[in-house]
Amino acid sequence: LTFFIMLHTDHSVQYDGQSEKAQSDYPHELRQSHPSNSRPRSSKEKAYDHAMRAGILWQTLVGEHVRFPKEWWGGARTPSLGKAHASTNPSKWWYISRHRVRGNEMLNSWVSNRTSAGQNLLHIVVSDSLMGPVQDIAIGCFHPNAKGIRRTTKAIADDENVREIWMAIRMREGVPMRDSHRPGGHDGLSVSLLNTALTLGHGIEDVGQPSPLGEKYSVTNENMRAVFGDKPPISTVDVPTSTLYKIIIDAVEEARFRGQAAPYPARTILQEFLFSKR
């Protein structure tokens, strides 16, 4: 699918989280190719501006489902996360969890009703003190009754107070998905061990899906905004591998002590790095 975004100019792109410096992350030739403001804007130029405002996380998420013009990323499908140059075959996002949350005031304020855009909530850059960034985690939410997401003709009344949370991971270039036989980095923890915690003991290949909705071609131009929204994430944080692992495992151990089911790691992460900060 070629990228022809439906612009929603009445929606602000301001947010309270850390700003993503989209322009400075791209190759010099891309910045040079930015259309001039001295003439009327074409639809492609407006789409480019929209993608720049939405930020690099949004670009990498959306770019796996709709096709951006080739000249935007030097021929690559999406930009690279981090300082590495974009490649023609970048690492893919794996969507490893999706669950429903009912009556959460914060989620309901960010995605207020079924006609609202989805919202990218949190971008975590997982890092090792020697290796640097090794993995990215994205968490977002959408309304289950949104058109193009719900599987029924009419909205389900009982789902109006529900929001669905998804979580995805993407390895940085040069970092293997499976590294359980290699020693951990300086922080003493391998990426694969963290991923085991993120999936509550399952393999990424067993639970990973190609989109937040499951099927590979389920995100299109028609429902892209309902799923991914049109803004940068509310917050972006850099977290050491060992710190994130401990947060997830501590939550699991506490639930086990109380005789409760293990909490969803996405919910634990949101509580630690987003909900508790607001």
Side-chain angles (χ1 to χ4, degrees), residues 20-41:
E20 293 187 349
K21 298 179 180 179
Q23 288 276 349
S24 63
D25 287 336
Y26 306 122
H28 176 72
E29 60 270 17
L30 177 61
R31 300 198 299 271
Q32 289 289 90
S33 67
H34 193 284
S36 169
N37 290 322
S38 61
R39 55 186 172 78
R41 315 286 283 164

Side-chain angles (χ1 to χ4, degrees), residues 2 8 10 42 64 69 91 109 111 146 150 158 194 204 207 221 229 235 260 265:
T2 303
H8 297 265
D10 56 325
S42 70
E64 291 188 5
S91 177
S109 67
V111 181
R150 67 175 187 262
D158 195 45
L194 171 61
I204 297 295
V207 300
N221 278 312
S235 183
Q260 301 171 346

Side-chain angles (χ1 to χ4, degrees), residues 221-242:
N221 278 312
E222 284 67 37
N223 64 8
M224 179 183 67
R225 180 175 176 271
V227 175
F228 292 117
D230 48 19
K231 301 177 184 178
I234 293 172
S235 183
T236 299
V237 293
D238 187 292
V239 184
T241 308
S242 54

Side-chain angles (χ1 to χ4, degrees), residues 49 66 242 263:
D49 288 342
V66 298
S242 54

Side-chain angles (χ1 to χ4, degrees), residues 34-144:
H34 193 284
S36 169
N37 290 322
S38 61
R39 55 186 172 78
R41 315 286 283 164
S42 70
S43 59
K44 182 182 286 190
E45 291 167 351
K46 291 178 181 178
Y48 179 94
D49 288 342
H50 179 278
M52 294 300 103
R53 290 194 301 269
I56 192 170
L57 180 69
W58 182 93
Q59 294 156 15
T60 62
L61 292 166
V62 170
E64 291 188 5
H65 301 283
V66 298
R67 195 173 296 279
F68 294 120
K70 290 183 178 180
E71 61 269 22
W72 284 12
W73 324 120
R77 177 113 190 201
T78 70
S80 280
L81 283 167
K83 297 184 181 300
H85 291 295
S87 66
T88 55
N89 186 29
S91 177
K92 298 287 186 181
W93 285 103
W94 290 71
Y95 294 83
I96 59 174
S97 71
R98 173 182 168 186
H99 68 278
R100 296 158 64 88
V101 177
R102 184 179 298 276
N104 184 286
E105 293 184 1
M106 288 189 181
L107 295 178
N108 289 0
S109 67
W110 291 320
V111 181
S112 58
N113 57 64
R114 63 176 180 265
T115 65
S116 301
Q119 177 66 59
N120 294 324
L121 301 171
L122 184 63
H123 176 200
I124 292 184
V125 180
V126 181
S127 63
D128 177 88
S129 54
L130 283 184
M131 297 172 62
V134 293
Q135 179 171 278
D136 294 273
I137 299 174
I139 302 177
C141 74
F142 56 78
H143 200 297

